């Protein structure tokens, strides 16, 4: 004021750390045997996320490429399964936040391929060819059934390439191939 008097006051400012936010991404569905990428990149903190820590909390065990990365990958187990992963993020003050994500694995059906139609002479040995049948998860088993024509005897109804002797005379024979994968899924 004009008389030279002074007055003082003080204020206290308290700074508090804002907790980080963990975001483990959206739930996913993947084909068994595929490479799956977890996505924690939307996790955030005002000062920046310092560490990521992924832990599998349920389902058939898988190995993460790097459990401390924002986006680790793993190879999906074979067959149908539901896996859960928890992501914990830590900020520079040691504060943490956690979120989880569900990954549902589905079995990819096998593919049956009975080969190309064939025309052969009477009495010849005929080889059926199911070798182009496949399953992304591995091996398949074969089951050949004659569905029309004069009955013949296959050399091995559970082989990929069974043979039989063509009957004498004109005839049209039809065979059906069913393949089964390791999870019991079939295709014809």
């Amino acid at each position: 004021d004009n008389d030279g008097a002074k007055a003082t006051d003080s204020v206290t400012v308290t700074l508090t750390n804002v907790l980080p936010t963990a975001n483990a991404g959206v739930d996913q569905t993947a084909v068994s045997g595929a490479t799956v990428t977890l996505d924690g990149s939307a996790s955030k903190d005002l000062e920046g996320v310092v560490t990521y820590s992924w832990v599998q909390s349920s389902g058939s065990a898988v190995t993460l490429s790097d459990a401390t990365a924002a986006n680790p990958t793993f190879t999906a187990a074979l067959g149908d399964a539901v896996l859960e992963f928890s992501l914990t993020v830590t900020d520079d003050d040691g504060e943490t936040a956690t979120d989880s994500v569900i990954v549902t694995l589905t079995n990819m059906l096998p593919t049956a391929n009975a080969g190309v139609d064939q025309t052969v002479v009477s009495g010849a040995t005929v080889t059926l060819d199911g070798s182009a049948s496949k399953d992304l998860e591995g091996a398949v088993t074969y089951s050949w059934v004659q569905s029309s024509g004069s009955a013949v005897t296959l050399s091995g109804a559970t082989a990929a390439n069974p043979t039989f002797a063509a009957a004498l005379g004109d005839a049209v024979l039809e065979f059906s191939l069913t393949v089964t994968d390791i999870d019991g899924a079939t295709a014809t």
Side-chain angles (χ1 to χ4, degrees), residues 46-75:
L46 291 177
E47 295 97 22
V49 171
V50 176
T51 64
Y52 298 86
S53 176
W54 290 92
V55 174
Q56 184 177 353
S57 50
S58 69
S60 305
V62 298
T63 302
L64 295 176
S65 60
D66 182 354
T68 63
N71 298 311
T73 62
F74 67 92
T75 301

Side-chain angles (χ1 to χ4, degrees), residues 8 63 81 126 149:
T8 55
T63 302
V126 178

